[in-house]
C-alpha cells in the first residue's frame, strides 16, 4: 500500500441541531457523507429510529459498510451493498420505497487511494478537491 499522502478533514456543522454528517477514514477508503432525513414538520422534528434521525441511520449504515469492506473491493460494490442495507432498513421501518420524499439518504464523495490509482465516486451535490505532490489543486463535482 502506498502511504505517502496526507488526508485533512475540515468540518463545520453550521446551524444544524441534529448532526447527520460524517467522514470515513478507513484506508484505502476516505469519504464524507451529508445525511438527509425524510420530510418532516420543523416543530416536530424528524422521525426517529432508536433515537436517531433517518439521515443519521443512513450515515451509520454506509459507515459500517466501509468498516467491513475489504481493501480489494471497488467503491461501487461497497456502495451497492450499503444501498441494499438502506433499502432493508426502510422496509423494516415501514418507509415506502416509492415515497422518495420520506426516504432518508445521504449525499457523499468517496475515494479509494491505491499506489497508482485514485477512484472517486460521488452522489448528490458533493465536490471532491485534492492537491497533487506538485501543488496542483484539482476538483470534480
Amino acid at each position: 500500500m502506498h502511504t505517502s499522502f496526507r488526508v485533512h478533514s475540515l468540518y463545520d456543522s453550521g446551524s444544524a441541531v441534529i448532526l447527520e454528517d460524517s467522514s470515513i477514514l478507513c484506508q484505502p477508503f476516505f469519504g464524507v457523507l451529508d445525511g438527509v432525513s425524510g420530510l418532516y414538520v420543523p416543530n416536530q422534528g424528524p422521525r426517529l429510529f432508536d433515537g436517531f434521525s433517518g439521515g443519521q441511520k443512513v450515515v451509520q449504515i454506509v459507515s459500517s459498510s466501509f468498516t467491513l469492506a475489504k481493501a480489494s473491493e471497488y467503491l461501487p460494490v461497497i456502495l451497492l451493498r450499503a444501498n441494499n442495507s438502506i433499502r432493508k432498513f426502510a422496509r423494516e421501518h415501514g418507509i415506502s420505497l416509492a415515497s422518495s420524499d420520506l426516504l432518508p439518504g445521504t449525499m457523499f464523495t468517496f475515494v479509494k487511494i491505491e499506489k497508482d490509482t485514485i477512484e472517486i465516486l460521488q452522489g448528490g451535490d458533493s465536490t471532491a478537491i485534492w492537491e497533487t505532490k506538485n501543488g496542483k489543486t484539482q476538483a470534480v463535482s
Side-chain angles (χ1 to χ4, degrees):
M1 173 57 141
H2 183 64
T3 58
S4 64
F5 59 87
R6 294 179 305 207
V7 175
H8 298 276
S9 177
L10 303 173
Y11 178 74
D12 181 352
S13 64
S15 61
V17 175
I18 298 175
L19 300 179
E20 297 181 321
D21 304 337
S22 184
S23 59
I24 304 285
L25 303 172
C26 193
Q27 193 170 334
F29 306 109
F30 302 91
V32 293
L33 300 116
D34 181 2
V36 180
S37 290
L39 289 178
Y40 59 89
V41 178
N43 64 353
Q44 294 176 2
R47 180 177 171 190
L48 299 181
F49 306 90
D50 299 321
F52 296 99
S53 71
Q56 289 173 318
K57 290 300 283 186
V58 167
V59 165
Q60 290 171 3
I61 290 167
V62 175
S63 295
S64 177
S65 295
F66 276 93
T67 301
L68 299 173
K70 296 179 181 136
S72 61
E73 291 186 90
Y74 293 107
L75 289 177
V77 171
I78 300 165
L79 288 169
L80 283 172
R81 187 168 48 243
N83 193 54
N84 287 334
S85 296
I86 294 165
R87 184 179 297 114
K88 180 180 176 189
F89 164 79
R91 285 184 179 140
E92 288 173 351
H93 290 88
I95 303 170
S96 169
L97 299 178
S99 300
S100 61
D101 58 332
L102 299 178
L103 282 170
T106 185
M107 289 167 272
F108 60 86
T109 297
F110 286 106
V111 298
K112 179 180 180 184
I113 301 175
E114 297 183 289
K115 182 177 181 182
D116 297 317
T117 61
I118 298 177
E119 181 182 7
I120 301 172
L121 192 59
Q122 300 169 264
D125 64 347
S126 59
T127 301
I129 302 170
W130 63 94
E131 181 179 358
T132 61
K133 287 182 185 179
N134 65 9
K136 184 178 179 184
T137 303
Q138 298 176 320
V140 64
S141 57

